[in-house]
Amino acid sequence: MSVARVLSPDAKGIKEAAEIIRAEGLVAFPTETVYGLGANALSALAVAKIFAAKGRPQFDPVIVHVADPQDAEKLWLEVPKLARRLIEKFWPGPLTLVLPKREVVPDIVTAGLPTVAVRMPSHPVAVELIRAAGVPIAAPSANRFGRLSPTHHEAVLEQLGEAIDAVIAAGPTPVGIESTVVSLAEDPPRVLRPGGTPIEALREHIPNLRVEPIVGPSASPGTLPRHYRPATPLFLLAPGQPRGGEPFERGRCGFLAFQRPWEGFAQVEVLSERGDLVEAAARFFAALRKLDRANLLAIVAEPVPEVGLGVAIMDRLRRASSGLAHLDETRVWITR
Ligand code: TXA
Ligand code: MG
């Protein structure tokens, strides 16, 4: 395939993008969370192209995006009361709901599962694109398999520029971290992936919500322990003194800080000077990407508080990391 067309996020660009979707092509588009790699969700052929472009080793279930809650009802067998309440409260927005699917949803969308994940994004360009296409749009994050999720169209072009038909260039995405995925197909409901909708807010409506991760082969890909990886090895800063491990000079490593920069590192990215976890989530993938491009030996990330969107950030950091780091005055000690 040739290089992706870069479309403007206006009526003309959206119309062109919608035509590509209808013709079973691939268009990367902005959502409020991250850029999605979109295809006609009702066409198995179009969805198969998503997997080829991403280089996913196997078919994984993808999220179907709708522009209206009523369109979700056409994809699910039935819509329980709890789903209606959550939709009313959290849509449009970063909450994906999993429920038993109808026949119209091709098996490749759900990787053969009897359930389908659906969400209504709040980004106006995403909503207009889905409306213009006239079909629901299946879209995983627009990154190559296992890599960082793109929060800017430049990041999409870098990873997938030669594998897709077009990208709608709308700049940075406001939330910056993927949607929270909740399965309502289980009783009690379960969080399959923490994300842009805080667990605390969901609990107000689902008091018995389960959050323990499912590990092992039955887990969904967002719950694979290794995921969201930068190319540079990333280590999560642990409390305590260095004990064993390999020493590196700080001057050859990068640091991903929550609030305050740390001394001595070759490059530091600060997620939120005012300690705001929403701002930190919005900057997270872009900051990691910057560090990843800086030719460093390793990246050390500081943990963030595990409340609100901090739960989703820590989830991504744990999956992205290769081990633990400890610091002394001039060095970084890392253990794999
Ligand atoms: O914010 C987001 O969710 C972004 C934007 C583009 O909407 N999308 C995204 O898609 O992150 P993806 O494919 O990278 O992650 C989808 C997650 C995966 O963890 C997948 O396993 C889970 O949703 N998922 C999808 N369908 C499922 C199903 N039927 N049952 C269980 N998990 C499912
Ligand atoms: Mg993803």
Side-chain angles (χ1 to χ4, degrees):
M1 198 178 270
S2 51
V3 175
R5 293 168 63 194
V6 178
L7 303 174
S8 53
D10 56 14
K12 183 167 170 279
I14 289 169
K15 184 165 172 270
E16 277 181 56
E19 276 159 17
I20 295 171
I21 295 282
R22 275 201 300 272
E24 299 181 305
L26 296 182
V27 178
F29 64 99
T31 79
E32 75 280 21
T33 59
V34 301
Y35 275 73
L37 174 53
N40 178 350
L42 304 181
S43 158
L45 173 69
V47 175
K49 292 179 185 171
I50 293 177
F51 296 109
K54 283 194 68 136
R56 279 196 175 184
Q58 76 274 341
F59 296 153
D60 294 322
V62 296
I63 296 172
V64 178
H65 298 71
V66 295
D68 193 300
Q70 281 176 355
D71 293 333
E73 305 204 3
K74 296 176 195 152
L75 304 170
W76 290 325
L77 270 185
E78 49 187 321
V79 188
K81 256 204 201 119
L82 177 59
R84 277 184 211 287
R85 218 177 312 141
L86 296 173
I87 286 170
E88 211 167 286
K89 179 75 191 156
F90 296 102
W91 282 14
L95 177 64
T96 297
L97 298 175
V98 175
L99 278 166
K101 76 174 191 79
R102 288 196 196 205
E103 205 63 45
V104 288
V105 181
D107 281 332
I108 190 168
V109 169
T110 67
L113 293 173
T115 53
V116 62
V118 184
R119 83 178 190 97
M120 177 180 171
S122 66
H123 199 296
V125 172
V127 174
E128 283 170 39
L129 173 65
I130 301 162
R131 290 213 172 112
V135 289
I137 295 184
S141 48
N143 50 276
R144 291 190 61 82
F145 177 72
R147 292 295 178 184
L148 297 178
S149 298
T151 55
H152 197 285
H153 60 264
E154 293 292 351
V156 176
L157 284 168
E158 202 179 277
Q159 293 195 46
L160 294 172
E162 299 189 347
I164 62 179
D165 297 298
V167 58
I168 303 180
T173 58
V175 175
I177 209 149
E178 301 90 334
S179 62
T180 303
V181 181
V182 174
S183 172
L184 299 179
E186 302 177 46
D187 190 22
R190 185 198 293 275
V191 174
L192 300 179
R193 176 182 71 184
T197 298
I199 310 275
E200 295 91 328
L202 290 167
R203 273 212 198 287
E204 286 177 27
H205 304 269
I206 324 172
N208 60 348
L209 181 66
R210 286 187 297 180
V211 294
E212 331 82 69
I214 315 174
V215 284
S218 67
S220 56
T223 64
L224 280 178
R226 289 177 154 221
H227 208 67
Y228 309 104
R229 298 195 135 213
T232 315
L234 180 121
F235 296 86
L236 197 53
L237 187 59
Q241 296 301 312
R243 250 186 294 127
E246 218 178 322
F248 285 111
E249 282 166 43
R250 285 198 195 189
R252 302 174 70 191
C253 299
F255 194 77
L256 183 69
F258 176 42
Q259 278 187 270
R260 272 179 304 279
W262 292 52
E263 296 294 308
F265 284 93
Q267 190 170 331
V268 179
E269 293 294 323
V270 176
L271 290 176
S272 173
E273 266 132 39
R274 52 197 164 91
D276 176 358
L277 287 162
V278 175
E279 181 178 54
R283 292 185 181 167
F284 176 70
F285 281 114
L288 259 184
R289 181 167 164 255
K290 261 199 196 161
L291 292 172
D292 199 19
R293 287 159 58 111
N295 264 320
L296 303 162
L297 274 184
I299 301 167
V300 176
E302 177 184 28
V304 305
E306 268 185 279
V307 293
L309 293 198
V311 177
I313 296 173
M314 284 304 291
D315 171 76
R316 306 304 185 270
L317 277 177
R318 289 200 181 96
R319 291 178 206 286
S321 66
S322 316
L324 296 179
H326 296 271
L327 304 182
D328 70 15
E329 299 262 285
T330 57
R331 280 167 302 184
V332 171
W333 299 78
I334 59 184
T335 40
R336 283 176 198 270

